[in-house]
Amino acid sequence: MTKAAALLLAGSLALAACASDEEGGDTATGNGGASGDLKIGLAYDEAGRGDKSFNDSAYAGAEAAIDEFGGEVQEVSPNEDGSNRAELLSNLAEQGYNPVIAVGFAYDEVLGEVAPQFPDTVFAQVDGSNADGAKGDNVTGLVFAEEEGSFLAGVAAALKSETGQVGFVGGVESPLIEKFQAGFEAGARAAKPDIVINSQYISPAGDFSGFSDPAKGQIVAQSMFDAGADIVYHAAGGSGTGVFQAAAASGGRAIGVDSDQYQTVEDPALQAVIMTSMLKRVDNAVQAFISDYVDGNVEGATDVLNDLSTEGVGLSDSGGFITDIKGDLDQYRQQIVDGEIEVPTSL
Amino acid sequence: MSPILRRTGLALLGPVLAIVVALVISAGVIALIGENPLTALEVMLDLGDTPSQQTQSIVVILNRAVPLFLAGLAVSIAFRMGLFNIGVEGQYRLAAILAAAVGGAVALPGPLHVLVIVAVAVVVGAVWAGIVGVLKVTRGVSEVISSIMLNFIALGLASYLLTGPLRGSEEGASIVTTTPIPESGWFPGLNGLLTGLGLAEPRSQLYGFLLVAVVVGIAVAVLLKRTRFGFDLRASGLSPSAASASGVDARRMVLKTMLLSGAVAGLIGMPDLLGSTHVYGTQFTGGLGFLGIAVALLGRNSPVGIALAALLFAFLDRAALPLQFADIPSSVVTIIQGTIVLAVVIANEVARRLTLRSAERAGARPVAPGGGSAGATGRGNPPPSDDGPPDTTGDRTGVRQEVQR
C-alpha cells in the first residue's frame, strides 16, 4: 500500500517536474551543441523514488544541480526483480542523457557491460567503486566512508545508553552494510569498552527484501529492546520505520540512516525517538559530480571519496538529543579526520 | 462453428476476459493520475525508433519470456495433477546456485560442459521438489505448506552457500557471486538467427536457451496429452478417487509429478546463467517462481497458453521502461499484471460455469429414449465441480450444433 502510494506520489512529482522541464526544453532547442541543456539520467536502486532516503537524496542532488545550471533530469527505476538494470542505463545513454548516474551498488556488474558500449557518455555510480577502472574509463565511483559516520553513531549510542546495551539492525547481509556495522561497533567500543552490542540482519545475502520490510525490522529491533538494549542503530533502508516503531513501543531510542530521518519521518511519535541520523550526503556527491561534469573536470576511472573530512558523512543533530555530547563527538571526528583513529571497514 | 473451434473459444474466453478487465481497470488508474490511457498504450506498443532498437526490444521480451515460460510450465505440471507447487521459487534458486558452482568448478569441452550444468540444475530442482512429494505421500503433509516452507530453507541455504563455501568473488566486493563459469559452459546466443532473418543486430544476445525451452514445452505437452503417464496425471488431477479406482497409484503419481515439476523448475535459472550472467550472485533474478504461478494461471496450464502468457508478461515488463521515459509511472505495469492475475481467477470461474451450463443444456436435450431423464438428473445433481471444462462427447456436440442451427 505505502509503496504504491509512494510510487504514485513519485509519479506525480515526475509529472510536475516534466511540466516545468518542457519550458526549459523549448528555450534550449535553439542552443543545441556543446552549450546545450544538461540532460541528466538518473537510474535508481530497487526501492525507487519516494524512499525518503537514498534515492530521494540522489534526486535532491540532481535537482540542486539543475537549479544551478538549468536542464532536465530523467529518472528511471528498475523493475521489481532488478532484471532490467542494463536496459535502464543503455536506454538513458542511447537517448542522449549525459551524464548518467546509477544509484546503488547493484549496478556494479551491468555498468561494466554498458559503459564501454557508450564511450561518449559520462557515467557515475553512487556506492560503487571504479578506482581500478574495471568498469570503463568513462565511469566515476561516488563512494562514502559509511564506517566513519557509523563510528560516530556508535560513540553517540554508547555515551547515551543507560543500560549499557545497544543494537544494530542491518537490512541485508552484504559487504556494504557490514561497513556500517563495523564502524558502529568500533565507535561504541571506543567510547565504552564494556558496552554490549547486539547486531542482527533482517535478510540474508541475496534476499533484498530486508531493505523494504518494516514489519520484520520491527520484530528484529523489538527483540533487541526486549533483551535490554535502549538504543538501536539501523542501516536498513525502508525497514527502518519498523525499528523506529519498536523504539517508540519500548520507550527506547533509535538512530536513523542516510538522510536526516528526524526531518523525514513525519509521524511525531516516531520523530521523538530518533536521537540522531548517520547522514550520507548522496545529494552533495551527486550535485558535486554534475557540477564537475559541467566544468569538464570529470576524469573517469576514479573514485570520489566522501568522508568525514568532506562532510560526505556525519551525524545530524535535529531534535537536540545529542547536543550535550557534541564535544566528545567532535573530538572523535577530529581524530578520525587526522588519521589517529583507523575505522575498520569490515568485521 | 466446429466443436473444436467452440471449445478453444470457450477455453480462450477466461484469459481474454481477464486481460480485457485488467486493461479497463488499468486504463481507469492511468486516467485517475491524469494521464491519457491511449498514450500509455501507444508507448507500451512502441518498440523503438531505429531497427536496432526494435530488435533489441524483441530480444529483451524473448529473453524475459523464456524463464517465465519455464516457471509457468513447472507450476502447471503440478497444477494438472491438482498439486499446488509454490516451491518453484526455492527449487530454481537452489538449482541455479549449485549448477553455477559446478559449472565454475569443472572444465569440460563445449557442449558437455553446458550439459553437465543443466543436468545438475534439473537434478537439484527435482530432488528439492521431491522432498515435498515424499512428505505428502508418507506423512500426508500438504504440499502447499511444505513447499512454502522449503522456499525459505532453499533461499537461506543458497545464501549460506553463496557467502560461504561457494563464494567465488573477492572478499569485500559489493556483489557476492560464485566462481564464473568458463566460456566452454556458455550457451551460444541466437543473434546470428536474427540477422539471418534480416533484422538489425541488437545490443544484447538472444538466449540460445530459447530453443531448449521450446523443446521442453513440446515434450511436456506430448507427455501430458499423448502418454499413459500424462493420462494418469490428468485423471488424478480431475478426480483422485476415480483415478485410483481405475488402478492409478496415487502416491507414485504425486511423487513422479513433483519430481517432474521440480526438474522443469530447475531449468528456470538456466537462460540467465548460461546466456548472460555466467555466475549466480546476490543480483541473480529472483521471484520468477512466484511469477510462474501467475503465468500458469493465465495460460490455463496448457503449454501453448503458458507461452503466450509468458510473452505477455515479458512484453509488459519491457514496457515499464519506455513508460518511465514518457513520464508515466512504471507501476502501471505492476497494476496491469496484478489485475490480470486477479481477473483471470474470476474469469476462469465464470468461463467454467458458462461451459458447464452450455454442456448441461446440450445434455438436457433428449438424445435417445431416457435421455431426458438423464438430463434432468444432470440438472438435479450438478456434476463434480472439479471436472473443469467437460470433455463433451462427439454426439453431444453434434446435438448442440443442431440446436444452434
Side-chain angles (χ1 to χ4, degrees):
Chain A
M1 266 313 276
T2 46
K3 196 184 169 196
L7 281 167
L8 279 176
L9 183 70
S12 51
L13 282 174
L15 290 176
C18 147
S20 55
D21 285 345
E22 272 165 23
E23 293 157 33
D26 282 344
T27 53
T29 37
N31 295 343
S35 64
D37 251 6
L38 199 55
K39 282 179 81 184
I40 305 163
L42 206 52
Y44 293 126
D45 207 350
E46 233 123 310
R49 269 297 294 290
D51 64 348
K52 290 181 183 162
S53 170
F54 199 58
N55 295 305
D56 280 1
S57 187
Y59 178 75
E63 185 88 312
I66 285 171
D67 283 346
E68 196 178 341
F69 306 110
E72 58 168 311
V73 57
Q74 172 67 54
E75 314 164 76
V76 288
S77 304
N79 58 11
E80 222 155 294
D81 53 20
S83 55
N84 65 347
R85 290 180 196 281
E87 279 302 297
L88 300 186
L89 297 180
S90 328
N91 273 281
L92 284 171
E94 219 168 49
Q95 303 198 16
Y97 288 95
N98 199 3
V100 170
I101 300 166
V103 184
F105 69 81
Y107 285 96
D108 264 0
E109 278 170 3
V110 297
L111 205 51
E113 289 164 30
V114 173
Q117 292 181 29
F118 299 95
D120 296 334
T121 305
V122 173
F123 290 90
Q125 185 189 10
V126 176
D127 266 0
S129 167
N130 191 34
D132 54 1
K135 289 169 190 158
D137 294 337
N138 50 344
V139 181
T140 304
L142 308 178
V143 294
F144 295 84
E146 291 94 351
E147 71 282 0
E148 293 184 359
S150 299
F151 185 97
L152 293 187
V155 170
L159 292 179
K160 280 289 188 178
S161 172
E162 283 157 16
T163 61
Q165 201 171 332
V166 295
F168 169 81
V169 178
V172 179
E173 220 172 335
S174 59
L176 175 68
I177 303 303
E178 279 168 6
K179 262 165 95 181
F180 288 83
Q181 186 193 346
F184 178 74
E185 292 186 352
R189 292 218 173 84
K192 226 186 237 176
D194 60 342
I195 191 102
V196 178
I197 307 169
N198 183 359
S199 295
Q200 279 181 46
Y201 285 85
I202 297 174
S203 67
D207 172 5
F208 284 86
S209 66
F211 286 131
S212 50
D213 196 340
K216 269 195 197 156
Q218 183 171 10
I219 293 169
V220 172
Q222 192 63 54
S223 73
M224 292 177 180
F225 287 116
D226 290 349
D230 59 349
I231 297 173
V232 173
Y233 171 43
H234 89 85
S239 307
T241 321
V243 176
F244 300 149
Q245 280 160 349
S250 334
R253 283 182 192 168
I255 300 177
V257 81
D258 290 348
S259 51
D260 185 354
Q261 298 203 285
Y262 183 87
Q263 304 288 355
T264 57
V265 74
E266 280 167 12
D267 183 348
L270 298 186
Q271 196 178 36
V273 304
I274 302 173
M275 186 175 87
T276 175
S277 297
M278 200 290 277
L279 301 175
K280 183 168 161 181
R281 301 301 301 268
V282 176
D283 50 348
N284 287 358
V286 167
Q287 188 186 357
F289 172 77
I290 296 171
S291 145
D292 279 349
Y293 169 80
V294 171
D295 298 340
N297 287 338
V298 175
E299 287 174 38
T302 51
D303 278 352
V304 178
L305 177 65
N306 300 276
D307 58 10
L308 280 178
S309 64
T310 67
E311 301 200 349
V313 293
L315 285 188
S316 68
D317 53 9
S318 308
F321 299 114
I322 55 165
T323 36
D324 53 331
I325 54 168
K326 195 169 181 304
D328 295 299
L329 290 172
D330 282 343
Q331 238 171 22
Y332 279 107
R333 182 182 175 281
Q334 200 52 47
Q335 283 177 317
I336 295 171
V337 172
D338 295 343
E340 285 166 37
I341 296 179
E342 280 262 354
V343 184
T345 55
S346 59
L347 301 170
Chain B
M1 208 198 301
S2 82
I4 297 170
L5 241 164
R6 191 184 161 80
R7 227 187 298 165
T8 24
L10 279 169
L12 278 177
L13 187 65
V16 170
L17 211 65
I19 292 168
V20 169
V21 168
L23 283 179
V24 168
I25 293 175
S26 312
V29 173
I30 298 172
L32 266 180
I33 58 171
E35 282 290 325
N36 185 349
L38 287 176
T39 321
L41 190 66
E42 209 176 297
V43 171
M44 292 169 79
L45 291 172
D46 180 17
L47 292 182
D49 303 329
T50 66
S52 160
Q53 281 174 5
Q54 288 161 1
T55 346
Q56 173 68 15
S57 300
I58 295 171
V59 168
V60 168
I61 292 173
L62 286 176
N63 282 355
R64 176 75 174 170
V66 172
L68 284 176
F69 169 71
L70 291 168
L73 206 59
V75 174
S76 78
I77 292 169
F79 256 149
R80 278 297 186 91
M81 156 99 201
L83 292 173
F84 201 172
N85 181 8
I86 306 180
V88 170
E89 179 73 17
Q91 289 148 25
Y92 96 84
R93 295 278 279 271
L94 202 59
I97 185 174
L98 289 174
V102 169
V106 300
L108 291 165
L112 193 63
H113 199 167
V114 174
L115 211 63
V116 167
I117 296 172
V118 173
V120 170
V122 166
V123 170
V124 172
V127 167
W128 200 251
I131 299 174
V132 176
V134 169
L135 283 174
K136 187 168 173 84
V137 297
T138 59
R139 317 294 318 164
V141 181
S142 157
E143 81 281 0
V144 175
I145 310 279
S146 61
S147 62
I148 291 180
M149 294 305 178
L150 280 167
N151 271 345
F152 290 106
I153 300 175
L155 293 189
L157 196 58
S159 176
Y160 159 73
L161 290 172
L162 182 62
T163 48
L166 300 184
R167 187 191 196 116
S169 57
E170 286 168 45
E171 204 68 40
S174 306
I175 298 179
V176 185
T177 63
T178 55
T179 315
I181 299 172
E183 211 162 330
S184 58
W186 298 8
F187 208 104
L190 292 178
N191 278 9
L193 194 74
L194 290 173
T195 44
L197 285 169
L199 294 164
E201 175 89 29
R203 266 199 324 269
S204 335
Q205 280 285 338
L206 175 60
Y207 290 160
F209 213 80
L210 173 68
L211 301 177
V212 179
V214 171
V215 170
V216 170
I218 294 172
V220 167
V222 170
L223 187 68
L224 290 182
K225 277 280 183 190
R226 298 268 179 269
T227 64
R228 167 72 198 270
F229 171 77
F231 179 80
D232 288 353
L233 189 149
R234 284 181 295 136
S236 316
L238 291 175
S239 171
S241 52
S244 66
S246 60
V248 177
D249 184 346
R251 288 152 56 101
R252 283 183 72 91
M253 282 310 294
V254 168
L255 208 55
K256 281 187 190 168
T257 308
M258 284 311 293
L259 287 174
L260 186 63
S261 174
V264 175
L267 293 175
I268 297 170
M270 293 302 104
D272 283 333
L273 182 67
L274 300 174
S276 75
T277 63
H278 310 302
V279 289
Y280 179 94
T282 43
Q283 293 299 316
F284 200 80
T285 307
L288 291 170
F290 297 123
L291 279 175
I293 298 172
V295 170
L297 269 174
L298 184 60
R300 300 204 71 187
N301 294 331
S302 97
V304 176
I306 291 168
L308 292 175
L311 282 170
L312 178 68
F313 265 57
F315 166 78
L316 289 171
D317 263 333
R318 189 210 73 96
L321 183 55
L323 278 174
Q324 294 185 55
F325 278 103
D327 285 317
I328 299 170
S330 63
S331 38
V332 163
V333 164
T334 320
I335 294 170
I336 297 179
Q337 286 176 340
T339 40
I340 285 181
V341 174
L342 209 58
V344 88
V345 176
I346 299 165
N348 272 352
E349 182 60 22
V350 171
R352 194 183 64 81
R353 289 192 184 174
L354 281 179
T355 349
L356 211 61
R357 205 178 302 161
S358 93
E360 271 179 27
R361 227 176 317 163
R365 289 267 151 189
V367 184
S373 66
T377 43
R379 237 178 233 170
N381 327 312
S385 58
D386 57 352
D387 241 350
D391 268 308
T392 38
T393 50
D395 55 345
R396 272 187 177 177
T397 35
V399 171
R400 194 161 53 202
Q401 269 180 287
E402 273 175 28
V403 173
Q404 279 182 320
R405 281 189 206 124

